Structure formats: structure tokens, C-alpha cells
Amino acid sequence: MFVRNELNRLSLHGVSVEINEIRTDEKLTPSQYETLREVLKQAGVELFEDKKDILVQRIKNVIMDVVYHSEEQLVYNLSTHLTEELHHDYTYMSNLFSETQHVTIERFYICHKIERVKELLLHEKMKLTEIAHKMHYSSLAHLSNQFKKITGLTTSQFKEQYRKNL
């Protein structure tokens, strides 16, 4: 709504606003573009123009959606899911992502899965076995090993450290 209101304020017509995408029938003047960029920046929204930057952001969005908003396990592996969702060759996306983000897609995905596990551990009062199932880990041991590898702590140590810092 915020973005749509700002575009209307700039008197742009034929505007389509979707999640993470704005399309207009008319080209923005340099003044309109700068005004929009500044307003969005103040609201914490970044405006991407480069097609590669847009693709990287779309990769991140798909991963975040899988980790934070999807209850269903991926039917295929992540690479196939990204390819089907974004209609690009996975090797191209992987190379672009690693080049611009200095981390692999897989590492980005795993780190966000672990962040979600942390949230569930601290705020949902779920047992670790329930979290492993919800996050589609093949086993409790797999989750525990990945958690320790990423955080340097066991899940118990993490919860204890959190309680101490309250």
C-alpha cells in the first residue's frame, strides 16, 4: 500500500505493484525516479534496477518463503525449486548469487533455516523433534549437527545462553 500510494503521489498511471515488483506503463522521469528512490529508502525499501540484482533478490525471496512461510516440504531439491520458480538455469543463478553475495545459495538457505530453528526454539516452545519435522530435516541428528556447525553451540547451549542474556 505504501509503495502504491507513493507512485500515485508521483502521478504515475498504469502502475502494477506486486510483492517485490513495480511495473509502470510509462517511463519515470529522472526526478520521479530519484523521489521514489528516496521515499522508499527512508521506508527501508531498496529499489533495484539491474536485472542481476533483481534476480538475486528474487532468489532470496523464494528461499525466505520456503523457510519462513511454507509448511510443505519441497517436492524437489532447492536447486530444482529455484529453477522452476524463477525460470533460470540453476548454475547461472548459483554463480551470480555467489559472486554478488559472497556466499553460496545453499549456505544462505541453511543459515536461514537455522535462524528459523532458533526462533522456534525460543518462542514456539516446541520440542526439538517437532522442530526437526516442521523444518523438514531428515532426522533430529541432522538438525543438531547443522545447528552446531552454523552456531558453534548445541541447541541446549543456545537456549541456556539466551536465558542468561535476558
Side-chain angles (χ1 to χ4, degrees):
M1 285 298 289
F2 171 77
V3 172
R4 190 180 312 277
N5 290 340
E6 289 304 316
L7 291 167
N8 287 336
R9 194 174 65 72
L10 291 171
S11 301
L12 293 172
H13 305 286
V15 176
S16 168
V17 179
E18 302 293 326
I19 294 177
N20 300 314
E21 190 171 338
I22 301 170
R23 293 177 189 247
T24 63
D25 289 345
E26 55 189 84
K27 188 165 175 63
L28 277 72
T29 66
S31 174
Q32 287 174 317
Y33 183 81
E34 271 313 304
T35 301
L36 180 61
R37 179 184 284 287
E38 279 304 310
V39 168
L40 293 177
K41 185 177 178 181
Q42 289 172 7
V45 177
E46 190 172 355
L47 190 59
F48 294 109
E49 197 173 346
D50 181 75
K51 289 185 185 291
K52 290 180 179 180
D53 291 339
I54 292 168
L55 179 58
V56 168
Q57 189 58 45
R58 290 180 68 209
I59 292 167
K60 289 179 178 181
N61 293 342
V62 169
I63 291 171
M64 300 301 263
D65 188 49
V66 167
V67 171
Y68 290 93
H69 305 292
S70 179
E71 293 293 320
E72 297 177 23
Q73 186 169 1
L74 292 175
V75 175
Y76 310 107
N77 59 25
L78 181 62
S79 60
T80 303
H81 182 72
L82 287 168
T83 299
E84 287 184 358
E85 285 289 315
L86 302 176
H87 310 288
H88 285 277
D89 175 67
Y90 182 76
T91 301
Y92 171 73
M93 289 188 290
S94 178
N95 290 337
L96 176 64
F97 194 91
S98 295
E99 179 184 307
T100 61
Q101 302 303 298
H102 310 291
V103 65
T104 64
I105 288 175
E106 188 68 25
R107 179 76 174 184
F108 182 85
Y109 175 61
I110 290 169
C111 287
H112 280 281
K113 277 183 78 171
I114 295 301
E115 285 303 311
R116 181 68 176 133
V117 168
K118 289 178 184 179
E119 290 175 12
L120 295 171
L121 279 170
L122 299 176
H123 304 294
E124 297 296 325
K125 306 296 186 224
M126 296 173 74
K127 294 180 181 176
L128 198 53
T129 53
E130 294 171 315
I131 294 171
H133 179 73
K134 179 179 179 72
M135 296 304 297
H136 311 293
Y137 279 93
S138 58
S139 68
L140 179 58
H142 183 211
L143 166 59
S144 298
N145 289 337
Q146 204 169 69
F147 192 93
K148 172 92 175 182
K149 185 177 179 182
I150 297 296
T151 67
L153 303 168
T154 65
T155 55
S156 299
Q157 290 169 330
F158 172 76
K159 287 194 294 189
E160 185 178 315
Q161 189 177 56
Y162 178 79
R163 280 190 222 112
K164 284 181 182 178
N165 290 334
L166 284 179

